[in-house]
Amino acid sequence: MNPKQLVKQAERVFKENGNTENALAMSKYMQNKFPFFGIKKPLRTKLTKPILILINSQTNEQEVLETAVLLWKKKQREFHYLAIDIINKYKKHLSKESFNAIEWMLVNNSWWDSVDGLATNAVGPLVSKYPELKKEMKRFSIEKNIWLNRISIIHQLSFKSKTDQEFLFTVCMQQAHNTEFFIRKAIGWSLRQYARVKPQEVKKFVEANKQILSPLSIREALKHQ
């Protein structure tokens, strides 16, 4: 697997299958933060399948990360989505040494779609596999970057009963006064997800802090209770 060749292959495929009308609509949906080729997910999945086949347990981690970073440096959002797909395919084999590259991706070309994708497919699995990375989540929770703040809140979404409740409640309180929509939504989302396994604990937490948590966070947290 040659990272530069793989990126060139992706670029050729995306250019050949771009759709200007779709590109404008997709960019508008993302508040014109990024340009698009205009390839919707079903077609993108089909087009990139031959590339993802190259990613397996025998693939070199350095090559995976180099490919992801090269894709991330491209302008069009489809490149970034492919980078996330590659990392997702390889996530069980990521070592903690990959964390710096993942963090670089989190703070570059940042928006909710990429941050949430990396939270689920990279950060969460890494923290679960390497508990010592919890200290990085504590650092993220106090960084002056809303996307790192959001990651600290939502990285445990898939942890279920293995969720570190103390950390979850602590980080929610740390960010409770943050007026950013994406932070308030993240607080509610993470609490709602944890409520699937500990509904009474979440309910008690929200009730005890209803004067501090935003209405949005409260509404989202108690959505299914």
Side-chain angles (χ1 to χ4, degrees):
M1 173 184 159
N2 183 301
K4 290 182 179 179
Q5 290 178 354
L6 189 151
V7 172
K8 284 184 178 180
Q9 180 183 347
E11 187 169 21
R12 175 181 56 78
V13 170
F14 288 157
K15 284 182 176 179
E16 290 175 353
N17 292 274
N19 181 299
T20 302
E21 185 177 347
N22 286 346
L24 292 172
M26 293 165 78
S27 184
K28 184 178 180 181
Y29 178 72
M30 287 293 172
Q31 298 184 19
N32 296 310
K33 298 284 185 182
F34 312 96
F36 282 78
F37 285 108
I39 303 172
K40 294 185 178 180
K41 186 175 181 179
L43 178 57
R44 191 182 80 246
T45 300
K46 180 180 179 181
L47 293 174
T48 58
K49 187 175 181 180
I51 294 175
L52 291 173
I53 287 175
L54 300 173
I55 311 300
N56 54 59
S57 61
Q58 303 305 311
T59 306
N60 182 285
E61 180 180 34
Q62 187 56 43
E63 291 178 335
V64 168
L65 295 174
E66 183 181 343
T67 302
V69 169
L70 285 173
L71 288 166
W72 213 259
K73 289 179 177 179
K74 295 287 188 178
K75 293 181 179 180
Q76 287 84 358
R77 201 58 164 166
E78 285 89 348
F79 287 121
H80 309 158
Y81 294 151
L82 176 56
I84 293 172
D85 289 342
I86 287 173
I87 287 175
N88 180 37
K89 180 87 180 287
Y90 195 76
K91 64 184 177 184
K92 291 182 179 179
H93 309 289
L94 287 175
S95 71
K96 62 182 178 181
E97 279 67 38
S98 69
F99 191 83
N100 287 340
I102 301 300
E103 181 174 353
W104 180 87
M105 294 168 70
L106 287 170
V107 298
N108 287 278
N109 290 320
S110 309
W111 198 238
W112 65 265
D113 54 341
S114 59
V115 168
D116 291 3
L118 290 170
T120 302
N121 298 313
V123 181
L126 281 171
V127 174
S128 179
K129 189 175 181 179
Y130 303 103
E132 60 267 35
L133 289 177
K134 286 184 179 180
K135 70 178 187 299
E136 301 298 339
M137 295 302 98
K138 292 179 180 179
R139 175 171 64 83
F140 279 14
S141 73
I142 58 174
E143 289 277 1
K144 293 182 179 180
N145 180 304
I146 68 164
W147 303 115
L148 294 183
N149 299 157
R150 183 174 169 93
I151 282 284
S152 71
I153 298 167
I154 68 171
H155 74 279
Q156 298 190 89
L157 283 175
S158 63
F159 285 21
K160 299 180 180 179
S161 61
K162 294 182 180 179
T163 298
D164 183 335
Q165 177 179 297
E166 181 180 359
F167 179 82
L168 173 61
F169 289 172
T170 297
V171 74
C172 285
M173 292 307 296
Q174 282 179 327
Q175 293 294 326
H177 294 291
N178 196 320
T179 59
E180 285 285 349
F181 169 82
F182 290 112
I183 296 300
R184 292 185 167 187
K185 187 81 170 180
I187 291 172
W189 183 17
S190 61
L191 291 173
R192 183 176 76 242
Q193 194 71 4
Y194 186 49
R196 294 178 183 276
V197 292
K198 295 286 186 177
Q200 293 305 314
E201 293 295 325
V202 171
K203 192 172 183 179
K204 285 193 294 184
F205 172 76
V206 172
E207 181 63 28
N209 297 286
K210 62 183 179 181
Q211 302 302 321
I212 302 172
L213 295 168
S214 72
L216 172 60
S217 296
I218 293 172
R219 185 167 63 250
E220 289 292 320
L222 302 180
K223 197 170 186 177
H224 300 307
Q225 293 206 37

